[in-house]
Amino acid sequence: MEERNKYSFGSSFAFGTPKLLPSAPSTSAKPAIRMAAGAKDALSTVTDVSSTEKRAQTFVCIPTAQPKLESQWRDMEWTEEQKTSLMKTISSYRPICHEVTQARVLLLGPVGSGKSSFVSSVQSVFNGRVTNRAMVGSSLTSFTKKLQSFHIHCQKGEDPTGLVLCDIVGLGGGEMTGLTLYDILSVIKGHVPEGHKFSPDQPVRSETVGYVKKPSLKDKIHCVAFVVDGSKILTYPKGLSTTFQQLREHISELGVHQVALLTHVDQICPETAKDVTKVYESRIIRDMMSKAGALLGMSTSYIVPVKNYSSELDLDASTDVLLLSAVDHILQYAELYFQDNTPQHTGPKIV
């Protein structure tokens, strides 16, 4: 079997028939969330939780130390061989659908959750040294203001991988830097041009410069990865859970699969901070995974822990394995999207 088929599942998860929203609001249209019956005003601009979030982000709640588990609650190999194998698998990945050559994955999460750091960390692994390709801001303000697509490259001189990580402004970044629900859905549906700067008082519409009126499959988002900070799970505002779950409902209606990354796991578990291979032996991290699942409204089987590179200058093989495993996890669900959207030819070919 070819390496690219490694991501082909035996069966796909069914979201039902997608109910697509209109391509763009009219000039006089109100924020897109009002298209959903009973939706809260707080979600018309998904940054309404920002004031509470800013207060919550001024401290980190670290649970009392707990004894580690006797064995890993997920199987993981922490060897150089495993790192090499994952890099080979990811480097050789190409979507099963021949209309596209790369899977576009949207990173979506609160300000300071580690979206941009994840992009830089993944690219660092393939570069063989720590680099900051996606610029990172403070924990209270979102450095990313526009739609940016990062093509993950292999070693210098080699072709890019089949993965594109798309970064946008963080949720809860303040009234003047946030996203409307319509903006998020427009990105997923492929209408938003690369480099578009988001503004809550100017939602994406058909008159937007560069607006893609008839996006092809390669323009769309093929998987959404929610990113949440493990050290802030207990202090996120209550309204954020509603925001996440309503976002997930709308995204699911578009037939796009979703996963989640739990970042900063080294900040919530002292043992993992010393040795990242202890991540799946940590009772604290396992409990935080469950809390992240409740926050997002998804099973923990969709969630993977991540440690991004931040102050380090050198790569660590175990950290690389954890990052590459997260990418591998994402690509599996991106591939499901292509399976769901690739025409199936069951009859004889007509000449």
Side-chain angles (χ1 to χ4, degrees):
M1 180 180 295
E2 295 180 358
E3 190 68 36
R4 60 178 289 177
N5 291 331
K6 185 262 184 189
Y7 294 98
S8 296
F9 282 36
S11 60
S12 60
F13 299 129
F15 278 102
T17 303
K19 294 181 286 185
L20 298 178
L21 298 175
S23 297
S26 63
T27 305
S28 61
K30 295 183 179 180
I33 187 59
R34 298 188 184 279
M35 293 186 294
K40 303 291 185 181
D41 287 341
L43 201 61
S44 59
T45 300
V46 294
T47 56
D48 288 358
V49 299
S50 59
S51 60
T52 305
E53 186 177 22
K54 285 183 180 180
R55 292 194 298 272
Q57 289 178 329
T58 58
F59 64 92
V60 174
C61 181
I62 301 178
T64 304
Q66 300 178 24
K68 69 177 184 179
L69 302 170
E70 294 183 0
S71 60
Q72 293 190 125
W73 44 277
R74 282 182 183 169
D75 292 331
M76 179 74 76
E77 295 181 21
W78 303 98
T79 63
E80 281 286 351
E81 291 76 14
Q82 176 67 359
K83 173 183 172 179
T84 300
S85 176
L86 285 167
M87 289 185 71
K88 181 179 179 182
T89 297
I90 295 167
S91 298
S92 61
Y93 168 76
R94 294 296 181 273
I96 192 175
C97 178
H98 298 297
E99 292 182 44
V100 296
T101 58
Q102 294 177 303
R104 290 172 57 81
V105 177
L106 177 64
L107 302 176
L108 194 60
V111 171
S113 59
K115 297 184 287 85
S116 298
S117 293
F118 178 71
V119 174
S120 291
S121 296
V122 171
Q123 187 60 74
S124 294
V125 177
F126 284 96
N127 284 350
R129 59 187 177 87
V130 176
T131 55
N132 292 307
R133 187 176 176 198
M135 291 182 286
V136 181
S138 70
S139 62
L140 297 183
T141 59
S142 181
F143 196 93
T144 305
K145 307 294 184 185
K146 57 187 180 181
L147 174 63
Q148 293 179 285
S149 300
F150 295 92
H151 297 253
I152 303 303
H153 291 265
C154 301
Q155 295 290 344
K156 186 176 180 180
E158 296 182 11
D159 293 332
T161 67
L163 172 66
V164 177
L165 295 175
C166 302
D167 195 10
I168 58 175
V169 61
L171 308 180
E175 293 181 359
M176 297 309 294
T177 60
L179 295 165
T180 64
L181 173 65
Y182 194 90
D183 289 338
I184 296 172
L185 297 181
S186 294
V187 170
I188 294 171
K189 290 189 284 185
H191 293 301
V192 181
E194 178 70 14
H196 173 77
K197 188 173 182 179
F198 296 96
S199 174
D201 58 349
Q202 293 183 339
V204 176
R205 59 184 73 248
S206 58
E207 294 81 10
T208 297
V209 176
Y211 182 88
V212 182
K213 294 184 178 181
K214 295 182 178 180
S216 63
L217 192 60
K218 67 180 180 63
D219 298 315
K220 299 179 180 181
I221 293 298
H222 310 124
C223 179
V224 171
F226 288 100
V227 184
V228 291
D229 185 342
S231 69
K232 296 172 183 171
I233 289 293
L234 301 179
T235 61
Y236 279 139
K238 293 181 179 179
L240 188 60
S241 180
T242 301
T243 297
F244 274 133
Q245 295 185 37
Q246 291 191 14
L247 275 171
R248 291 199 62 236
E249 180 180 351
H250 283 279
I251 295 170
S252 296
E253 287 178 346
L254 297 178
V256 177
H257 297 273
Q258 302 137 61
V259 298
L261 308 177
L262 182 71
T263 61
H264 299 116
V265 292
D266 52 314
Q267 294 183 20
I268 62 176
C269 177
E271 290 298 318
T272 300
K274 297 176 185 177
D275 182 358
V276 74
T277 67
K278 305 299 182 185
V279 64
Y280 284 122
E281 296 177 22
S282 171
R283 195 182 304 271
I284 295 174
I285 293 176
R286 187 184 66 175
D287 291 345
M288 283 300 172
M289 293 271 284
S290 297
K291 289 179 171 60
L295 175 74
L296 295 163
M298 65 167 57
S299 167
T300 54
S301 63
Y302 296 97
I303 308 172
V304 291
V306 163
K307 178 186 180 301
N308 291 326
Y309 286 110
S310 55
S311 61
E312 299 88 348
L313 296 178
D314 299 310
L315 296 177
D316 170 73
S318 297
T319 300
D320 291 350
V321 168
L322 196 62
L323 285 162
L324 292 169
S325 296
V327 174
D328 182 64
H329 180 72
I330 290 170
L331 286 177
Q332 291 184 45
Y333 286 91
E335 189 66 5
L336 284 179
Y337 178 90
F338 295 121
Q339 289 186 22
D340 294 343
N341 290 275
T342 299
Q344 300 297 319
H345 302 288
T346 56
K349 183 177 180 180
I350 299 176
V351 180

